[in-house]
Amino acid sequence: QQQVKQSPQSLIVQKGGIPIINCAYENTAFDYFPWYQQFPGKGPALLIAIRPDVSEKKEGRFTISFNKSAKQFSLHIMDSQPGDSATYFCAASISNFGNEKLTFGTGTRLTIIP
Amino acid sequence: EAGVAQSPRYKIIEKRQSVAFWCNPISGHATLYWYQQILGQGPKLLIQFQNNGVVDDSQLPKDRFSAERLKGVDSTLKIQPAKLEDSAVYLCASSLVMVGTEAFFGQGTRLTVV
């Protein structure tokens, strides 16, 4: 079964710190790696995504680092704020002209303390 | 733009009873997904439709779960009979049929089987 392994399970960071969440995958056919943010009682929402032709992508305070040879990717949140407290899921899929099936990691519950 | 609509938000049933969930995707989105999210885990794909045809139902427990998408728009997911281990949040998502498109999630239906 295709798997995406995510760590840590939970993370507490002080405001302004840089939480880092890591994911690893096995299937080298994966070519799309999104991160989703989920608040309690809400569905996951796309935060940022990367394809393996680049090693880093930055959008605002969120950065994905991608290491193709190690089959790992990570999410960094710069200048973290209490409003960033949520559960974060990494995911991976194989491009198939809109028929992508996302395989999710197990999630990281992030708490940013003031 | 209206998001993915799901109902009901919450449902409590006894084991061996049946239950149905409804999803209305974003207008124009041909691809529709049903995911199961057990507490503390990432979403797991149950079934994927493109228009009113099934693309992937390999992880759908077909002895008790069924889903349909009549006319390629709304979809219903049914469980009959329910088991305790079916307690989870059932998420519906939709996307356009194109490479790299984002999947938009609804708020989900929280099912508790007692």
Side-chain angles (χ1 to χ4, degrees):
Chain A
Q1 183 180 0
Q2 300 176 347
Q3 282 190 330
V4 178
K5 296 182 179 179
Q6 183 172 347
S7 63
Q9 191 172 18
S10 62
L11 187 58
I12 300 174
V13 173
Q14 206 146 23
K15 177 184 173 184
I18 305 175
I20 301 173
I21 305 170
N22 301 298
C23 284
Y25 63 97
E26 289 296 323
N27 189 346
T28 55
F30 285 142
D31 62 356
Y32 177 65
F33 302 90
W35 283 90
Y36 280 79
Q37 180 188 56
Q38 185 175 31
F39 293 105
K42 304 291 186 182
L46 180 65
L47 192 60
I48 185 173
I50 197 168
R51 293 197 179 270
D53 52 344
V54 296
S55 61
E56 185 175 279
K57 183 174 181 179
K58 186 175 181 179
E59 287 185 2
R61 297 184 294 108
F62 301 92
T63 300
I64 299 179
S65 297
F66 186 82
N67 186 329
K68 188 175 181 178
S69 60
K71 293 185 286 186
Q72 296 176 347
F73 58 110
S74 60
L75 176 70
H76 302 230
I77 305 176
M78 307 302 176
D79 187 28
S80 57
Q81 301 296 316
D84 297 328
S85 297
T87 299
Y88 292 80
F89 293 96
C90 62
S93 69
I94 302 169
S95 295
N96 188 20
F97 298 97
N99 289 320
E100 288 85 355
K101 296 174 291 186
L102 291 167
T103 299
F104 284 87
T106 50
T108 297
R109 178 172 289 186
L110 174 65
T111 304
I112 306 298
I113 53 177
Chain B
E1 178 182 79
V4 176
Q6 290 189 248
S7 68
R9 287 296 314 277
Y10 306 94
K11 191 75 176 178
I12 300 175
I13 63 172
E14 294 183 350
K15 60 183 179 183
R16 292 187 289 274
Q17 284 188 325
S18 62
V19 64
F21 313 127
W22 173 82
C23 172
N24 181 245
I26 293 173
S27 177
H29 282 195
T31 303
L32 185 146
Y33 311 82
W34 282 102
Y35 284 85
Q36 179 192 56
Q37 186 175 20
I38 293 173
L39 186 65
Q41 298 182 21
K44 182 186 83 171
L45 180 69
L46 292 175
I47 189 168
Q48 178 183 355
F49 293 93
Q50 185 169 327
N51 296 309
N52 59 351
V54 175
V55 174
D56 185 348
D57 63 357
S58 58
Q59 297 193 85
L60 186 74
K62 297 180 187 63
D63 58 333
R64 298 184 300 106
F65 285 65
S66 64
E68 60 181 8
R69 191 183 183 196
L70 299 176
K71 301 181 181 178
V73 182
D74 293 5
S75 177
T76 56
L77 176 70
K78 297 179 182 178
I79 308 175
Q80 181 179 13
K83 292 185 176 181
L84 296 177
E85 58 261 37
D86 298 332
S87 294
V89 175
Y90 290 85
L91 294 163
C92 179
S94 69
S95 66
L96 292 167
V97 182
M98 56 188 294
V99 175
T101 187
E102 174 183 352
F104 293 85
F105 284 81
Q107 294 190 80
T109 295
R110 181 178 294 277
L111 173 68
T112 302
V113 182
V114 297

